[in-house]
Amino acid sequence: MHKLAIIGASGFTGAEFLRLCAAHPNFEVVIATGESQAHRPIADLYPNLASAYGNMVFTPHNDELISTIEASVDLVLMGLPHGHAQTLVPQLRGKVKHIIDLSADFRFNDPSVYPKWYGEAHQAPELLNEFVFGLPELFRDQLPGAELTAVAGCYVTTASLALAPLVKAGIVEPTGIIVDAASGVSGAGRPPKDNTSFCSVDEDFSAYGLLNHRHTPEIEMAISGYAGVDAQLLFTPHLAPMNRGILATCYGNLSDIGATTETALECIAEAYTDEPFVVVDQRSPSTKTTLGSNTVHLTARVDERTQTVIAIGALDNLVKGASGQGIQCANAVLGLPEHTGLPTAGLFP
């Protein structure tokens, strides 16, 4: 049994870590921190977790936290907002065997990415090359035994899994790609914001992060790293009036003039043969079918008239897009079957 600490357990991704770990046969959560909810019972904030965590309370981020983690856990799952892991990881490294981080703090090897796309210099650039990128279907060989893992972002996972095999196979040109994606409101986190309140979001659909969304270089990095070519794309995210889910519709210029829809579907299906968390078929993916699961649904079409390839992906942004993928990475790091403790089937209705 592996003993875990969840840092940032009071947020949506932290709560999803708690939910999924409760069903994991090899994980026991012994520490769950929540700075804004310190000393509050987990079940008060998330009654859905009452049966699993009883009277367990959120632990504060105090001076004793690092020593407590060092003495009692061997794996840390981090669900903190961007910027916080940069200061905490240097304190934890060497005191715990494995760290799985959901934030973007350590996803890039190049420190110059951070001031350009995140607006500030990285606080621990010396650690960037120490992390492996947590997207198992594309970069599985990096994970076994890894001490430090930076889990891929939700938009990144959806778009990259849909596009990377097509770019690698030479069916889609690596440049001129357009990714048009929509996310549920939980992607903005638990703390209330003016633009994510019920009255703002209900019956509304809006684009944001125009031309400069921070997931852009990460999608390019993932596709480039898998396909072995320099990918370039335009990414536009949208906020949809739903709790969970991401739907990414990706457009690329057809490179192989003889390719057909069947060719594209076969390419994606072959790339993910025997992958437990990938469904590839003719059906157009929907966010509802992925609800609560760690599975991504993919399809593709080739439009011969416009010489365009459409690749579509859907997933649950809190599971395969965040905490579920974090646990999938943790399983791989620890040498467990990747599907351990993770749901493959979605909830319906």
Side-chain angles (χ1 to χ4, degrees):
M1 183 68 70
H2 296 279
K3 296 186 181 298
L4 275 63
I6 300 175
I7 308 298
S10 61
F12 285 152
T13 58
E16 199 69 352
F17 268 144
L18 287 166
R19 181 180 76 88
L20 295 170
C21 286
H24 198 294
N26 302 100
F27 289 171
E28 178 187 358
V29 178
V30 296
I31 297 172
T33 77
E35 184 61 21
S36 65
Q37 304 294 324
H39 306 296
R40 182 179 181 182
I42 291 171
D44 277 6
L45 185 61
Y46 296 110
N48 63 306
L49 299 175
S51 62
Y53 293 96
N55 296 321
M56 187 175 180
V57 301
F58 291 111
T59 301
H61 289 262
N62 55 29
D63 294 337
E64 292 78 37
L65 178 61
I66 303 300
S67 59
T68 302
I69 288 175
E70 182 180 15
S72 57
V73 308
D74 56 3
L75 187 144
V76 170
L77 302 173
M78 303 183 70
L80 296 169
H82 173 71
H84 293 262
Q86 295 179 28
T87 59
L88 191 55
V89 167
Q91 301 176 56
L92 285 171
R93 191 188 181 206
K95 296 180 174 64
V96 63
K97 292 180 181 178
H98 307 285
I99 299 173
I100 309 290
D101 179 29
L102 291 187
S103 79
D105 281 10
F106 294 96
R107 291 176 186 157
F108 300 97
N109 291 333
D110 182 0
S112 69
V113 172
Y114 289 92
K116 180 177 180 179
W117 292 94
Y118 288 82
E120 57 189 5
H122 201 280
Q123 299 178 59
E126 71 280 0
L127 292 181
L128 291 176
N129 286 319
E130 303 293 324
F131 274 78
V132 301
F133 190 59
L135 184 47
E137 288 78 9
L138 300 185
F139 307 107
R140 177 170 287 116
D141 60 343
Q142 300 178 13
L143 290 168
E147 178 188 4
L148 305 170
T149 304
V151 179
C154 51
Y155 280 125
V156 179
T157 299
T158 322
S160 299
L161 291 180
L163 286 165
L166 298 170
V167 174
K168 183 175 183 177
I171 295 174
V172 169
E173 293 281 356
T175 59
I177 296 171
I178 295 175
V179 176
D180 187 10
S183 173
V185 184
S186 60
R190 186 182 61 81
K193 305 176 182 67
D194 291 341
N195 65 321
T196 60
S197 67
F198 176 82
C199 289
S200 296
V201 174
D202 187 44
E203 299 188 39
D204 190 35
F205 186 74
S206 59
Y208 64 98
L210 304 181
L211 303 181
N212 62 1
H213 193 276
R214 55 185 57 176
H215 276 183
T216 302
E218 190 183 340
I219 302 173
E220 292 178 342
M221 179 185 72
I223 295 173
S224 299
Y226 180 80
V229 295
D230 290 332
Q232 186 182 62
L233 57 88
L234 176 63
F235 170 52
T236 305
H238 299 75
L239 186 63
M242 58 185 182
N243 292 329
R244 293 174 179 245
I246 283 182
L247 182 73
T249 304
C250 312
Y251 304 90
N253 296 317
L254 183 63
S255 180
D256 181 356
I257 304 303
T260 64
T261 291
E262 290 71 25
T263 305
L265 285 170
E266 288 173 2
C267 172
I268 299 174
E270 182 178 349
Y272 301 123
T273 300
D274 298 327
E275 290 288 353
F277 300 119
V278 181
V279 172
V280 182
D281 59 31
Q282 289 271 359
R283 288 185 294 271
S284 184
S286 73
T287 58
K288 186 81 169 182
T289 59
T290 70
L291 182 64
S293 79
N294 197 55
T295 302
V296 57
H297 289 236
L298 304 172
T299 197
R301 299 290 188 274
V302 173
D303 181 24
E304 297 177 7
R305 182 180 66 88
T306 62
Q307 297 292 288
T308 302
V309 180
I310 306 172
I312 304 174
L315 54 71
D316 185 323
N317 61 291
L318 291 180
V319 191
K320 182 57 175 169
S323 305
Q325 182 148 267
I327 291 176
Q328 184 182 351
C329 290
N331 286 337
V333 165
L334 295 168
L336 300 171
E338 285 183 22
H339 64 273
T340 306
L342 291 169
T344 57
L347 301 172
F348 194 89

